[in-house]
Amino acid sequence: MNKVDLAFAPALQQSELIRRKEVSPLELVELYLERIQQFNPKLGSYFTVTAEQAIDDAKIKTQMLAETEDLPLFFGVPISIKDLNPVAGIPCSYGNAALLGNVPDFDDGVVVKIKQAGFIILGKTASSELGSFPYTEATGFPPTRNPWNLEYTSGGSSGGAASSLAAGLCAIAQGSDGGGSIRGPAACCGLVGIKPSRGRVTHAPVGDRLNGIATNGPIGRTVADAAALLDAMSGYVTGDSYWLPDPEKPFLTACQEKVNNLRIAFCTSIPPLGKADANCHQGVMQTVKLLEEFGHIVEEKCPDISGLIEPFQIVWQSNVAACGVPAEILQPLNRWLLSRSCSAGEYLRAVYQMQIVARKIVMFFDTIDVLVMPVYLHSPIRIGEWGALSPEETFDNIVRWIAPCPAANATGQPAISLPVGFDDKGVPIAVQLIGKPTAEATLISLAAQLEAANPMYKHRPSNYY
């Protein structure tokens, strides 16, 4: 296998190559560090590259490989970590260069699990400031670009995670999603992103300050990669505010399980926020056609999310105040969101209203198994496209663009972003599948069925060969 094929190989394939001793962890790390050095300057995928630590870890793991066969699944596979998640000894900027002096002395809970799974961390990937925006143009850093077309965004807030993976600068990526921040970047970059069910992935050790709307999750080249990383990330840690029992079987096994006669709803319009553009509409309809061919029962209908818009915005924007970052170093939109901070009573009323609407949305799934929607309502925006707008105008554009995503955050339901094609600018098109509470396995099985019929992971952005 040549170096380019190896760089773009699915993480599970790399794991198998390591176990067969056809490639070493050190060879993989050196390959990715070479590619990061070559391509990251124009992509802005990584904020921090931990070359020395990665090489040291790879040398240790390469030696261990020669001494034992009792190794975790992803032993020696290189991964990237989003720069909203603390890793001991590595700067954590939260998307603002003024905070690069912040070097935590602990690992985030999900990072602990990633290390236990055998991964080697290559560095910290770019995030929008405080994870607030669906594009990644953070203060003091170059904008993060889409490897498929450098004029366009890779999405946000996990924009660096998706950009790095799509360009072959890591084998697999960790992200987080509080309103589409895994699904959107995965969609923009032609990858598979899973927003797990609430309580599936720990918020240890610091806890959750967004009332359960945000979660960590995987971004992979394939459904199987994403499912296997979700297995590695999942599990209760003592003291978690929300938790689920472990699944009966690993999520990876769901990729091999057939799903028959599911009841599937679809929609391409989110009243009153708008309807999908031609590209996103086409992606949904293309998927609907395949689902009908597979024998699933498909009908057009959508839950009413109109009552969710205002309370979700209040809860979401409260994150800026909760972070405690001084207003003077924030980007204009985050300063504006901070100025709109509400009282504790208003926040709790918003949480109460969000819970009422979320309950109604979950009831919609009493009669269906899966909802198919666009990820965003229109194709990715250009880098800096909204830069001249006022904060109010930008915020309104964001709300309308990401409209299909927040419902699953409010309800805590699982959702998957799956690539289905390309638009006329060469930028990927995707759909999202939203499932019943805790039903990741059903979504993974269905996504694997769709992927087998349309294996988008075989495509690569041409400038990174």
Side-chain angles (χ1 to χ4, degrees):
M1 182 180 294
N2 65 45
K3 284 190 172 184
V4 173
D5 289 341
L6 182 58
F8 282 93
L12 286 168
Q13 184 180 354
Q14 291 188 12
S15 172
E16 183 61 27
L17 291 171
I18 290 171
R19 289 174 180 281
R20 296 203 304 255
K21 298 182 174 60
E22 294 179 23
V23 66
S24 72
L26 182 59
E27 288 170 326
L28 276 174
V29 165
E30 289 177 338
L31 169 61
Y32 281 121
L33 291 176
E34 289 173 5
R35 292 182 61 83
I36 291 168
Q37 184 176 25
Q38 181 179 2
F39 296 117
N40 193 59
K42 64 180 178 181
L43 284 169
S45 301
Y46 285 86
F47 284 163
T48 302
V49 180
T50 55
E52 184 176 341
Q53 296 98 315
I55 288 173
D56 288 346
D57 192 12
K59 287 179 179 178
I60 292 169
K61 284 184 165 63
T62 297
Q63 181 61 37
M64 290 175 62
L65 186 65
E67 298 171 351
T68 179
E69 295 184 358
D70 185 18
L71 300 168
L73 176 61
F74 284 112
F75 183 84
V77 175
I79 192 172
S80 64
I81 303 295
K82 183 178 178 180
D83 206 27
L84 294 185
N85 295 83
V87 179
I90 301 174
C92 190
S93 74
Y94 301 100
N96 189 304
L99 301 177
L100 277 171
N102 171 50
V103 181
D105 59 1
F106 67 94
D107 287 333
D108 205 15
V110 72
V111 174
V112 172
K113 289 182 175 292
I114 283 169
K115 288 183 176 181
Q116 290 171 343
F119 285 105
I120 297 173
I121 295 172
L122 293 169
K124 304 296 291 294
T125 51
S127 168
S128 61
E129 187 179 72
L130 307 184
S132 295
F133 317 133
Y135 48 87
T136 305
E137 300 174 29
T139 299
F141 296 101
T144 304
R145 298 180 181 273
N146 193 318
W148 295 94
N149 187 326
L150 294 178
E151 294 183 11
Y152 289 85
T153 185
S154 61
S157 61
S158 306
S163 177
S164 65
L165 182 56
L169 308 189
C170 60
I172 199 166
Q174 171 268 338
S176 56
D177 190 316
S181 286
I182 286 173
R183 289 163 286 164
C188 290
C189 294
L191 303 166
V192 178
I194 302 179
K195 187 208 83 68
S197 296
R198 181 176 300 147
R200 182 70 68 197
V201 179
T202 183
H203 281 286
V206 296
D208 162 50
R209 59 173 172 247
L210 279 175
N211 201 64
I213 68 173
T215 181
N216 291 286
I219 302 176
R221 296 194 188 287
T222 65
V223 174
D225 273 7
L229 180 52
L230 179 57
D231 283 324
M233 289 180 168
S234 296
Y236 172 75
V237 172
T238 302
D240 281 345
S241 301
Y242 321 99
W243 67 90
L244 296 175
D246 293 336
E248 293 181 4
K249 295 181 287 187
F251 291 123
L252 180 57
T253 64
C255 295
Q256 305 301 324
E257 295 181 350
K258 293 184 178 180
V259 283
N260 298 308
N261 301 320
L262 292 178
R263 301 163 300 171
I264 298 175
F266 75 93
C267 61
T268 59
S269 180
I270 312 293
L273 296 175
K275 60 182 180 180
D277 70 3
N279 288 318
C280 297
H281 177 82
Q282 174 192 346
V284 171
M285 300 314 296
Q286 173 184 329
T287 302
V288 165
K289 184 174 183 294
L290 273 176
L291 293 169
E292 290 174 334
E293 291 173 1
F294 295 154
H296 300 296
I297 303 163
V298 185
E299 61 177 315
E300 185 173 8
K301 64 177 183 177
C302 190
D304 179 9
I305 70 162
S306 57
L308 182 64
I309 298 168
E310 182 179 3
F312 188 89
Q313 288 177 22
I314 292 172
V315 174
W316 180 60
Q317 71 192 33
S318 69
N319 179 59
V320 181
C323 285
V325 177
E328 58 269 20
I329 68 170
L330 292 174
Q331 290 178 264
L333 180 51
N334 268 332
R335 284 202 304 271
W336 179 76
L337 291 172
L338 183 61
S339 73
R340 289 162 53 92
S341 297
C342 61
S343 68
E346 290 169 326
Y347 174 83
L348 290 175
R349 282 194 293 274
V351 168
Y352 174 72
Q353 183 61 34
M354 187 174 72
Q355 291 173 343
I356 290 172
V357 178
R359 189 177 298 275
K360 294 177 181 177
I361 293 171
V362 174
M363 288 174 63
F364 173 85
F365 285 79
D366 287 347
T367 57
I368 68 161
D369 299 300
V370 176
L371 173 62
V372 181
M373 303 172 75
V375 179
Y376 289 157
L377 284 186
H378 60 76
S379 296
I381 60 172
R382 290 180 180 271
I383 297 292
E385 183 170 330
W386 295 341
L389 300 180
S390 68
E392 295 92 335
E393 291 170 323
T394 303
F395 186 71
D396 184 64
N397 283 350
I398 288 172
V399 169
R400 294 179 183 279
W401 188 27
I402 71 168
C405 285
N409 296 93
T411 63
Q413 291 170 262
I416 294 181
S417 173
L418 187 71
V420 295
F422 298 93
D423 66 15
D424 57 1
K425 302 177 185 67
V427 176
I429 301 168
V431 298
Q432 70 167 323
L433 315 175
I434 301 175
K436 292 176 179 287
T438 77
E440 286 97 332
T442 299
L443 290 185
I444 289 166
S445 295
L446 184 61
Q449 185 180 44
L450 289 165
E451 181 183 68
N454 182 22
M456 288 292 296
Y457 62 88
K458 294 184 178 181
H459 297 272
R460 303 174 188 168
S462 60
N463 292 331
Y464 303 93
Y465 285 16

